[in-house]
């Protein structure tokens, strides 16, 4: 009976300890800007392989979608971190005096591309300003303004892009926007051809992408929590890109039932091929890297294109406090 009582006590103590350790984790909600996909893979990796927990975090990932505006949840204090597509929304936040700030960039290159039909006289990026161009409303008011300024694209060539590839597939003299990780796959599947891909990042559109934003009050009051989330996310991205990402991909498919193994594999391959996650400054400073020079370069281009006023204090949109610490560099394959 004594032995039974002792065993029961030990088990109860172990359970209590486990419960205490679990409750000691800081609860964090991270809202993404779209449905679960490989482009969010590093965060799902950090969730499923225990990296977030190792860093003392109990993370909930809140997917976005066509009807969601998760960024408003960040501003309202309903979530702790948000995934921004590029630096244009953070610059806009400064204009609007919103109390949010970028603390890391998971992508060194924005994955936005323009595609054209091969062999139709539009095989170079400099050819595209003669083509009909399918462009979405949001892209039209910012990125396309830079394309007009830098490469002579014309408003009269614009056609509305409603996220349906059929018009582009039918018009061989057209170009279409997309993400290098996504739309080209759909074109290959539906149109049965491989389109020319022009990654805007390789033509001077040097915004960071897949950013981690948070509120300025969280940075001020709990910088340790911010640092742990950034570091764990960086580790997650290294493991997703270079390690066993099967469990993360399974979770992505559960969260987004329309996602397929083929699409995920295509997305990861393109992220590697084009250096979306790990290239440039991240090769020496680690994934998540940001620099003042890149931020100034991109802002100056947006100001020349009149997307923003030249006197905007864009430096308020980000901080380098939590990045460039070479976190996770040892996880990159040596060859």
């Amino acid at each position: 009976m004594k032995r039974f009582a002792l065993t029961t006590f030990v088990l109860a103590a172990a359970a209590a300890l486990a419960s205490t350790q679990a409750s000691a984790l800081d609860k964090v909600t991270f809202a993404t800007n779209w449905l679960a996909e490989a482009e969010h893979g590093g965060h799902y990796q950090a969730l499923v392989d225990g990296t977030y927990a190792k860093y003392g975090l109990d993370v909930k990932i809140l997917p976005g979608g066509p009807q969601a505006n998760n960024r408003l949840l960040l501003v309202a204090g309903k979530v702790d971190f948000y995934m921004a597509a590029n630096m244009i929304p953070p610059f806009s936040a400064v204009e609007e005096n919103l109390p949010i700030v970028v603390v890391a960039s998971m992508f060194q290159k924005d994955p936005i591309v323009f595609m054209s039909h091969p062999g139709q006289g539009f095989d170079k990026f400099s050819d595209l300003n003669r083509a009909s161009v399918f462009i979405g409303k949001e892209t039209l008011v910012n990125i396309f303004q830079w394309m007009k300024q830098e490469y002579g694209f014309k408003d009269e060539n614009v056609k509305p892009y409603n996220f349906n590839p059929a018009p582009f597939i039918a018009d061989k003299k057209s170009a279409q926007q997309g993400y290098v990780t996504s739309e080209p796959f759909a074109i290959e599947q539906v149109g049965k051809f491989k389109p020319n891909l022009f990654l805007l990042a390789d033509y001077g559109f040097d915004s960071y992408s897949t950013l981690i934003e948070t509120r300025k009050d969280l940075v001020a009051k709990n910088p340790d929590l911010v640092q742990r989330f950034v570091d764990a996310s960086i580790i997650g991205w290294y493991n997703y890109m270079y390690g066993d990402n099967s469990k993360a991909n399974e979770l992505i498919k559960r969260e987004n039932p329309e996602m397929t193994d083929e699409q995920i594999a295509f997305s990861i391959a393109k992220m590697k091929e084009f250096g979306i996650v790990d290239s440039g400054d991240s090769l020496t400073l680690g994934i998540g890297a940001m620099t003042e020079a890149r931020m100034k370069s991109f802002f100056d281009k947006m100001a020349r294109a009149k997307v923003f006023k030249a006197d905007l204090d864009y430096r308020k949109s980000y901080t380098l406090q939590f990045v460039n610490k070479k976190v996770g560099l040892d996880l990159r394959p040596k060859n």
Side-chain angles (χ1 to χ4, degrees), residues 231-335:
D231 288 352
S233 298
I234 290 169
I235 297 296
W237 270 107
Y238 275 112
N239 288 331
Y240 187 74
M241 295 299 292
Y242 302 121
D244 181 359
N245 54 26
S246 57
K247 291 183 179 179
N249 291 334
E250 288 303 316
L251 179 56
I252 288 170
K253 289 186 294 181
R254 288 200 300 273
E255 292 288 315
N256 180 6
E258 294 185 1
M259 188 56 57
T260 66
D261 290 327
E262 293 77 15
Q263 174 68 77
I264 289 173
F266 181 92
S267 298
I268 294 172
K270 291 302 180 185
M271 285 193 283
K272 290 180 177 179
E273 177 185 348
F274 285 87
I276 300 298
V277 177
D278 197 11
S279 63
D281 291 324
S282 74
L283 299 179
T284 55
L285 300 176
I287 289 174
M290 302 187 299
T291 68
E292 299 278 4
R294 274 278 298 274
M295 290 292 190
K296 183 179 188 305
S297 171
F298 181 64
F299 176 77
D300 287 347
K301 290 170 183 175
M302 292 297 101
R304 285 198 300 273
K306 302 188 184 319
V307 177
F308 297 104
K309 293 181 179 179
D311 62 354
L312 180 70
D313 190 359
Y314 69 92
R315 293 180 180 85
K316 290 182 178 179
S317 66
Y318 66 94
T319 175
L320 306 183
Q321 178 180 348
F322 303 101
V323 293
N324 305 339
K325 301 177 186 292
K326 302 183 179 183
V327 171
L329 278 178
D330 58 316
L331 297 174
R332 183 191 296 120
K334 300 301 185 289
N335 53 357

Side-chain angles (χ1 to χ4, degrees), residues 13-80:
L17 178 61
S19 176
T20 300
Q21 290 173 335
S23 64
L25 299 178
D26 292 311
K27 292 185 179 297
V28 167
T29 300
F30 174 54
T32 69
N33 55 8
W34 196 246
L35 302 171
E37 56 188 357
E39 293 89 326
H40 306 165
H43 301 285
Y44 284 99
Q45 180 77 25
L47 186 64
V48 300
D49 71 9
T51 299
Y52 280 136
K54 179 181 176 182
Y55 279 76
L57 302 171
D58 178 7
V59 175
K60 174 185 178 182
I61 298 178
L62 178 66
Q67 306 303 321
N69 191 338
N70 285 347
R71 198 156 186 260
L72 286 180
L73 298 181
L74 176 67
V75 176
K78 302 297 184 181
V79 302
D80 305 289

Side-chain angles (χ1 to χ4, degrees), residues 140-200:
L140 185 64
V141 300
N142 44 58
I143 297 174
F144 188 67
Q145 301 309 306
W146 167 80
M147 294 169 68
K148 288 164 55 179
Q149 171 74 23
E150 298 286 335
Y151 290 99
F153 283 77
K154 301 176 179 63
D155 288 325
E156 54 263 33
N157 291 345
V158 171
K159 293 185 176 182
Y161 174 49
N162 298 314
F163 302 95
N164 177 0
F168 166 69
I169 292 172
D171 184 355
K172 293 184 178 181
K173 300 297 184 181
S174 70
Q176 181 197 294
Q177 75 171 74
Y179 283 107
V180 72
T181 50
S182 182
E183 277 81 356
F185 178 77
I187 299 300
E188 290 183 22
Q189 297 297 305
V190 178
K192 306 303 180 184
F193 70 93
K194 289 189 176 184
N196 296 321
L197 301 180
F198 304 101
L199 187 75
L200 292 191

